Amino acid sequence: MIILTGGLGFIGSNILQGLNEIGYDNIIICDWHKKIGGKNVANQKFIKIINPDSLFNFLKSNKNIEYIIHMGAISSTTENNFKLIYNNNTVFSRNIWNWCTLNNVKLIYASSAATYGDGSNGFNDLATKAYKPLNYYGWSKYFFDKYATKQSQNKKNPPQWVGLKFFNVYGPNEYHKGKMQSVVKHSVDQIKEHGYVNLFKSYNSKYKNGGQIRDFIYVNDCISVIQWFIKNPQFSGIFNCGTGEGRTFEDLVKAVFQTIKKSPKINYIEMPDNIKNQYQYYTKAENIKLKNIGYKKEFTSLEDGISDYLKKYLLKNNIYR
């Protein structure tokens, strides 16, 4: 049996599909069903859904658990309630870690590229530098990464534990995320409504408008990485989950226009004051650590990922996996 927290959400529901693909259907989803709904998993196989506040009671009465795949979190980078985000993202994760350690259950969890802060210290998952995240979300993930690392050094860890620092993930089933949807999804919506796409102006002289850089990773690649770790339980640690290539927002929008066979039309707008001071101008995963343990699959290019996402989902009536 696998427990999948956040299984109704964007990355979680895609992971559910990936688990089904490799033969797992004895899966318990742990998520807030009444808040999110079940559209993301309507076509997938699983046993049932439980609420997060009943997770540990469920764990007490179920001993045949192979993995907890922990994707559940408050993922908003603009959430300002530190206590709320710390309890949900850090304390809850620590409790899951401790349960997995005591019960010899493997753990895969979601970290984030937001832990790297402004990128001035790089994006190397081999580094031991002290990073300074730019928002509470990033700090909450950073605190848990530090806890996992320390516990592992003291040999107080699950039999396999993997933290994945997800970079800018896009793909199907992100539709409930509102403002936190990917720029790909927002671009398609804006083109349908206005015929053009709005991007934020740059306030950093190193980057032109639209030249801000991200490591955009298609969610299918995230699934592939998790499937690989399940098939290779001898490997543990914290790993970047990005393509290893930095692309501009302008590149992304042009790829969207190219897929729908229209000429690019881009407007540059002012960035809201509440994110100006916590804005990452550059992210790019270093994947040496993942490659060194034997992960060989090539990551999807931005153009190919956008083409697949639009043609299979966003441009069709049935947009769910």
Side-chain angles (χ1 to χ4, degrees), residues 21-306:
E21 288 173 359
I22 58 174
Y24 288 94
D25 56 15
N26 56 338
I27 299 162
I28 303 295
I29 294 174
C30 176
D31 213 332
W32 299 106
H33 187 223
K34 289 184 179 179
K35 293 181 181 179
I36 301 174
K39 289 184 178 180
N40 282 354
V41 298
N43 301 318
Q44 317 308 335
K45 297 177 182 178
F46 59 95
I47 298 172
K48 67 176 181 178
I49 302 168
I50 62 173
N51 282 336
D53 55 10
S54 63
L55 173 62
F56 290 99
N57 283 333
F58 179 86
L59 293 176
K60 287 178 183 178
S61 57
N62 290 271
K63 303 300 182 184
N64 60 333
I65 297 169
E66 180 183 357
Y67 270 98
I68 292 184
I69 300 179
H70 179 37
M71 298 291 121
I74 294 175
S75 59
S76 172
T77 56
T78 57
E79 175 59 59
N80 289 319
N81 186 332
F82 176 75
K83 184 176 181 180
L84 176 68
I85 204 166
Y86 180 77
N87 285 335
N88 275 273
N89 294 3
T90 308
V91 175
F92 190 66
S93 299
R94 286 177 181 173
N95 292 339
I96 288 175
W97 174 283
N98 294 334
W99 187 90
C100 287
T101 300
L102 289 172
N103 291 276
N104 206 40
V105 172
K106 290 170 281 190
L107 172 65
I108 297 174
Y109 73 88
S111 181
S112 172
T115 57
Y116 289 119
D118 64 6
S120 58
N121 284 327
F123 299 90
N124 188 340
D125 50 13
L126 287 166
T128 57
K129 297 176 182 177
Y131 296 100
K132 293 183 178 180
L134 298 175
N135 49 57
Y136 287 157
Y137 168 73
W139 278 112
S140 70
K141 293 293 187 177
Y142 180 72
F143 289 146
F144 181 63
D145 281 348
K146 296 287 284 185
Y147 179 81
T149 300
K150 184 176 180 180
Q151 291 297 98
S152 178
Q153 289 170 348
N154 293 330
K155 301 190 184 304
K156 297 179 180 179
N157 54 273
Q160 181 194 26
W161 66 277
V162 176
L164 295 174
K165 289 183 182 289
F166 293 115
F167 278 67
N168 284 72
V169 187
Y170 65 95
N173 292 11
E174 61 172 313
Y175 320 118
H176 64 287
K177 291 173 66 67
K179 292 181 179 180
M180 297 304 296
Q181 292 175 109
S182 72
V183 180
V184 179
K185 175 62 165 57
H186 282 304
S187 296
V188 172
D189 291 344
Q190 289 180 40
I191 292 168
K192 286 180 178 178
E193 185 173 357
H194 305 295
Y196 59 81
V197 174
N198 288 324
L199 290 177
F200 289 139
K201 292 179 180 179
S202 171
Y203 302 89
N204 184 324
S205 60
K206 294 181 180 179
Y207 303 90
K208 68 174 186 177
N209 292 339
Q212 303 96 318
I213 293 172
R214 291 285 185 278
D215 189 326
F216 299 104
I217 179 170
Y218 195 30
V219 72
N220 289 5
D221 290 323
C222 301
I223 294 171
S224 295
V225 170
I226 289 174
Q227 289 173 330
W228 188 89
F229 275 109
I230 289 173
K231 294 174 183 176
N232 293 273
Q234 68 273 30
F235 295 110
S236 292
I238 297 174
F239 300 86
N240 283 336
C241 193
T243 65
E245 183 176 4
R247 301 294 300 274
T248 68
F249 283 101
E250 186 177 279
D251 290 337
L252 182 152
V253 172
K254 286 182 177 179
V256 171
F257 276 105
Q258 181 181 3
T259 300
I260 62 175
K261 299 180 180 179
K262 291 186 177 181
S263 298
K265 293 182 179 180
I266 304 173
N267 290 333
Y268 295 101
I269 63 174
E270 300 293 334
M271 188 182 296
D273 290 338
N274 67 322
I275 66 173
K276 277 184 181 179
N277 294 328
Q278 51 180 279
Y279 187 80
Q280 288 177 303
Y281 278 85
Y282 177 89
T283 68
K284 188 182 80 166
E286 295 185 30
N287 288 330
I288 297 172
K289 190 174 178 181
L290 188 61
K291 291 178 180 178
N292 282 347
I293 62 171
Y295 186 82
K296 300 185 185 304
K297 189 172 181 179
E298 293 294 322
F299 289 94
T300 308
S301 71
L302 180 63
E303 286 76 11
D304 287 345
I306 287 174

